[in-house]
Amino acid sequence: MRFFADKKNSVWLGLVLLMLAIDMWVVVTYTPMVPDQHWAQKIFYVHVPVAWTAFLSYFVVMVAGILFLIKKDYYWDRVGLAAAELGTMYTTLVLITGPIWAKPIWGKPWIWEPRLTTTLILFLVYIGYFMLREFGGHPERVARYAAIIGIVAFVDVPIIFLSVKFWSPEIQSHPQIEMVAQPHRILIPFFYSLITFTLLYIIMLRFRIHILKLKHEEAENGL
Amino acid sequence: MVYNFLSYFVTAVSLVFLTILGWFVYQLRQEGRIIRRRSNISPKE
């Protein structure tokens, strides 16, 4: 059965598309222009929710990894793989939209400062994860090792979050501003964007798990 | 300068949404291929 033949899924996607359209309209027309950054600052409303979605996805990889190791149920292996794929896609978008924003503001697209470097490390760890998935050999062993990598790799996520706090301020390029101190015209669209991207992520994850299940059934039946 | 900043914004937003759109198209095609194989109908290439 096709995933979007289920009315619940197609309604969810339709709702998310509507929310995304409203999100972009609000970002363009309602959010204030920040002096010196103008339109470039508005990348923030996409860049940060995309980063949040990537980290949420890696959290799902970790939880799925733990559940796979406990239950030995391959459903959790598929959940972990689907979340790892999406997490890496979103991390790639973070690593591209970040430099697009940084270029006009910092004058250069990349600076080797803690948050950027730790995000790049996370991305590279997941490149290793997919190499293991592809070339690891026996499927049972690959699933087990992938679960362990997914659990260990998540350690980097809180490091990325806290990197602006525990490395010395001299080497920081990210602003250390409390989000709650922002005006409502920035804060409300920002949280709306976070919710919209989270809902988009949930439907993407469920769709990918559905396809991995179809592939698994196909492989089992020798189709 | 403002127009220059606008181009950065448009580039970043377009990149995000085109990537997500591409992802959906790829998944739908994969799903279609698997379902066609199951139904034993050869895909029209």
Side-chain angles (χ1 to χ4, degrees), chain B residues 11-35:
Chain B
T11 306
V13 169
S14 309
L15 182 84
V16 169
F17 289 115
L18 285 174
T19 304
I20 291 167
L21 178 69
W23 184 90
F24 270 105
V25 170
Y26 180 70
Q27 302 308 322
L28 285 168
R29 285 173 64 96
Q30 266 202 336
E31 187 191 42
R33 269 199 297 271
I34 294 169
I35 287 172

Side-chain angles (χ1 to χ4, degrees), chain A residues 55 60 120 158 161 173 178 203:
Chain A
F55 300 147
V60 173
L120 182 65
F161 267 110
S173 295
E178 290 295 327
I203 192 81

Side-chain angles (χ1 to χ4, degrees), chain A residues 23-44:
Chain A
D23 186 26
M24 283 304 104
W25 182 75
V26 167
V27 167
V28 169
T29 61
Y30 179 74
T31 57
M33 287 286 183
V34 171
D36 302 328
Q37 293 202 26
H38 296 277
W39 281 100
Q41 187 274 337
K42 292 187 185 233
I43 294 173
F44 159 82

Side-chain angles (χ1 to χ4, degrees), chain A residues 67-88:
Chain A
L67 289 170
F68 175 74
L69 292 177
I70 294 169
K71 297 186 174 182
K72 306 279 181 229
D73 181 348
Y74 278 86
Y75 167 77
W76 293 111
D77 181 51
R78 291 195 294 275
V79 172
L81 176 59
E85 287 176 359
L86 285 169
T88 307

Side-chain angles (χ1 to χ4, degrees), chain A residues 140-153:
Chain A
E140 192 275 331
R141 191 175 55 205
V142 166
R144 196 153 29 92
Y145 288 172
I148 294 165
I149 293 176
I151 295 164
V152 175

